[in-house]
Amino acid sequence: MKIVHAASEVFPYMKTGGLADAVGALTGTFADLGHEVSVFLPGYRAALAHPSAAGAERRFRLKIEMGDQYLSGDVLAFSPRKNLTVFLVCRDEFYDRANPYGNGERDYEDNADRFIFFCKAVAETMRLADLGADIVHTHDWQAALLPLLLREAERRFGVTLAMKTVFTIHNIAFQGLFSAGCFARTNLPDELFSMDGLEFYGQVNFLKAGILFADRVTTVSPRYAKEIQTPEFGCGLEGVVQTRIDDLSGLINGVDTTVWNPATDALLPAHYSAADLAGKKVCRSSLLKTCGLDPSFTGPVFGMICRLTEQKGVDLVLANAEFFASWDCKFVVLGAGDKRMETALHKLAADVPSKVFMCAKLDEAMSHLIEAGIDFFLMPSLFEPCGLNQMYSQVYGAVPIVSRVGGLVDTVRDADEDRANGTGIMCAPNVASLRDALLRAHRLYWDNPRYAAVQQRGMARDFSWGTAAAAYEALYRDAL
Ligand code: ADP
């Protein structure tokens, strides 16, 4: 099949979260399966600086209609592996910035224009390059206008650009909501600014366009596919999702084992596997040393890696500060984002510097060392479309402590409830239930044979992209 992806993040060129990992792995896996894959992302400063982009060639110079004016852009392309072409949509005014969506304090004011331009540029490049896609697969609000804009371009130019379109919701909480004024820059017919179109309580909602106008809609776990049909998790779009119930499916993400495998991980000081965990001990002391904690500590080490947002249950962890202060354990946090949470976590670390370490940055290498060096991974999310770190944790022999929401339910089994198959500890997303889970973790750790059994079962699970890719392939074929 000829498959075109469009997303605002693709690992390793730009990553702020799981979207990048998922699109990076999905495109690579399909290329390796022999499909002809193209992937579009904005030509962010970091993406252009990536070593693989060094040999990128300018393929097209675009003139993109944005309301009543035309904006120019360049499309660069390179091929990092067989069957895969990466297209970077460049326009310095929009993408030559340190961060993809905002300056840390707030979102960029021109985000609507940046991603209208991106989607239009993808459609235009597909036309100019005559890509003739079987499937166009777009991801999240930043690329959500593409299915609709493609059909518009086909109508306008009398061509076929894509047989079928698939839209994946990686997180329904991010919708790309903008003031009505930006609608003119889509150059879509006025009647589409209505309840049955992009309008959402007087604003323009990009995500809604993806849900309504793609041929198929997917999200990243079966449980989340159900949850987003309810007011509790649908973030106001539950009614819109319900209209697509016949075309909606939940496909769990996989783990890219070329990146996340403790037996080969180039970012670790030592390698290990389920059969020989000696290397994990080396990683553990290396982690503790890196964090200024006692490397000879023998009790449980907890870890957490996430964007600092309410979603990730950071406040539930902070409300359990007393656990980390009073119980014999260590706790390492890697997370950037919300400044209040960052400050509170720094304070926790300052209060008990011999036990808690806080690292407030984006650090890929550190994230691997944490997964390898810890005994328990904390992920008490309030909602979680799929979640990757609970899978990485199992693969790396760290027992995940997760709340019973979304993809966490589909990928973790509670070790107390299911003694024969459990791979983690599950709780409700509230302070008391998390405290109970932390105490259960502590007990499990000191029950060595039981901890080892839970750890081994986690490491034996197959989260590789093979299964996930097969599900997407079946979906594509079914759509066609
Ligand atoms: P989300 O997409 O909601 O952020 P996921 O669990 O799906 O959550 O994916 C998060 C990804 O981002 C993981 O690969 C995780 O390791 C990574 N990550 C999150 N925060 C950081 C950080 N501060 N440094 C490095 N990697 C991070």
Side-chain angles (χ1 to χ4, degrees), residues 86-156:
V86 177
F87 289 94
L88 297 171
V89 171
C90 301
R91 180 174 165 84
D92 288 353
E93 179 207 351
F94 284 156
Y95 310 122
D96 182 23
R97 301 183 191 181
N99 300 303
Y101 313 123
N103 59 12
E105 301 280 305
R106 71 178 92 87
D107 287 348
Y108 299 130
E109 288 189 358
D110 57 354
N111 275 349
D113 287 359
R114 294 170 77 224
F115 292 102
I116 292 171
F117 181 87
F118 173 64
C119 290
K120 288 188 169 188
V122 176
E124 178 66 353
T125 307
M126 286 180 61
R127 186 178 76 85
L128 295 173
D130 200 9
L131 283 185
D134 294 305
I135 295 288
V136 173
H137 189 159
T138 78
H139 304 265
D140 273 355
W141 72 264
Q142 298 90 344
L145 294 178
L146 183 58
L148 180 58
L149 290 169
L150 270 176
R151 298 305 179 213
E152 266 306 293
E154 287 179 338
R155 198 178 53 79
R156 197 189 281 199

Side-chain angles (χ1 to χ4, degrees), residues 15 17-19 21 305-307 311-312 334-336 361-364 367 379 384 387-389 392:
K15 166 170 168 175
L19 167 69
D21 287 359
I305 305 164
C306 63
R307 291 179 292 112
Q311 175 193 340
K312 300 294 179 181
L334 173 64
K361 55 180 180 180
L362 272 172
D363 188 334
E364 190 70 22
S367 74
M379 203 160 170
E384 194 59 75
L388 290 169
N389 283 106
Y392 300 157

